[in-house]
Amino acid sequence: MPEPIVFYDIPGKDVTPKAWSPNTWKTRYCLNFKGLPYKTVWVEYPDIEAVMRKAGILPASTQADGTPYYTLPAIYDPNTKTGLAESAAIARYLDRTYPDTPRLIPAETDALHAAFNHAFRSAFLPDLAKLTIPAVADHLPPRSEVYFRKTREVFFGVSHLDDIAPPGPKREEAWAGVKKGLRTIAEWLEADGSDKLFFTGKDKIVYADMTVAGFLIWVKVVLDRKEWEDLISWDGGRWGRFMAAFEKYEAVDEGEDAVL
């Protein structure tokens, strides 16, 4: 049995489960799906860069001004002394390193997975973010909340996050966009005329499915129950059935707080 992988995630406050981030959920689904032992280290937003530097994990990308951009998810695997960030890179690493576990990205679908990520983000995320980003701030510990509000208000060009999609026409328009986006994804799944639940068939889950699930559980955790129940009823209840298939991969360990 390998040593537990260290999995860096962002903690929520007063939410069940404590895990809420769509991007880190993708990696949590991967680890649970493969049945690999891991332990969570909870890292608040202002501490991400310092914790990543201490762990020797390189930044996930570079910002427009050329400075490194440290973000989560990230893992450190003591079995190979490897640390890396970014959910798709982690999925590929886990497939290479643990070939005897269920594969996340079948070799013949690797390029399609890369293309899917761009198409999915374009179809679904712009409107979803208008609803979920303001809600996230209310579910974060105090230091993370301050950091999150400041950085996201700059990104969205608003003086307050609640101005992004306040109750009324703006929020209704955003929800209509989310519903349209999920219909588009459902049409991808139905392209061959069959009603398959997952991208490679009715029973086989792959990383593309985990990507969708990661963003749907984000809705479940941070928005209100009525909105979640509406969403999972769309497309003939497809999304409720889809998420039910992921419940067995939603274990969240207690973990421990990062130490700087």
Side-chain angles (χ1 to χ4, degrees):
M1 177 69 70
E3 290 186 58
I5 292 169
V6 180
F7 169 46
Y8 297 94
D9 199 351
I10 306 166
K13 176 196 72 174
D14 301 329
V15 292
T16 302
K18 190 174 183 178
W20 63 268
S21 165
N23 289 312
T24 59
W25 259 108
K26 288 185 281 185
T27 295
R28 189 177 294 278
Y29 277 134
C30 289
L31 291 165
N32 288 336
F33 180 73
K34 282 182 171 288
L36 293 169
Y38 69 92
K39 62 178 181 180
T40 302
V41 173
W42 301 104
V43 187
E44 291 211 35
Y45 268 107
D47 302 330
I48 290 175
E49 180 171 348
V51 171
M52 293 297 95
R53 287 183 179 275
K54 182 179 179 181
I57 297 174
L58 295 175
S61 60
T62 303
Q63 301 186 77
D65 62 3
T67 58
Y69 181 53
Y70 290 90
T71 188
L72 300 183
I75 64 167
Y76 177 78
D77 187 348
N79 303 288
T80 61
K81 296 181 170 52
T82 300
L84 70 160
E86 200 274 318
S87 55
I90 292 170
R92 290 181 170 90
Y93 166 82
L94 295 175
D95 276 344
R96 287 194 310 271
T97 308
Y98 300 98
D100 295 332
T101 60
R103 194 167 178 93
L104 301 165
I105 304 177
E108 65 275 16
T109 71
D110 196 278
L112 291 174
H113 266 85
F116 163 81
N117 187 56
H118 289 283
F120 171 75
R121 295 182 74 87
S122 297
F124 186 52
L125 298 194
D127 286 303
L128 180 66
K130 295 174 185 175
L131 301 166
T132 49
I133 291 294
V136 165
D138 295 330
H139 294 296
L140 293 175
R143 287 197 310 121
S144 286
E145 179 183 357
V146 170
Y147 178 95
F148 189 86
R149 287 188 182 278
K150 181 178 179 180
T151 55
R152 273 54 179 183
E153 285 164 0
V154 170
F155 179 84
F156 283 94
V158 295
S159 58
H160 196 282
L161 286 182
D162 291 340
D163 295 335
I164 296 173
K170 282 188 177 181
R171 191 170 185 84
E172 292 168 7
E173 181 181 354
W175 268 114
V178 170
K179 189 172 186 177
K180 181 180 178 182
L182 283 177
R183 175 87 290 267
T184 296
I185 297 165
E187 289 170 357
W188 296 344
L189 290 161
E190 298 163 359
D192 64 353
S194 66
D195 186 29
K196 58 180 178 288
L197 196 58
F198 308 119
F199 282 97
T200 59
K202 287 189 176 181
D203 302 314
K204 186 177 180 182
I205 292 174
V206 295
Y207 179 69
D209 302 300
M210 296 177 193
T211 298
V212 178
F215 282 90
L216 291 183
I217 200 168
W218 189 25
V219 174
K220 182 179 181 180
V221 173
V222 305
L223 296 184
D224 70 47
R225 185 174 181 84
K226 174 63 167 58
E227 290 173 320
W228 171 244
E229 290 177 348
D230 284 346
L231 185 152
I232 60 175
S233 73
W234 296 343
D235 298 312
R238 166 187 286 280
W239 304 112
R241 297 191 302 275
F242 179 86
M243 290 305 292
F246 279 88
E247 290 177 358
K248 58 186 171 184
Y249 305 120
E250 291 177 358
V252 178
D253 60 314
E254 182 177 352
E256 60 188 42
D257 293 338
V259 177
L260 295 176

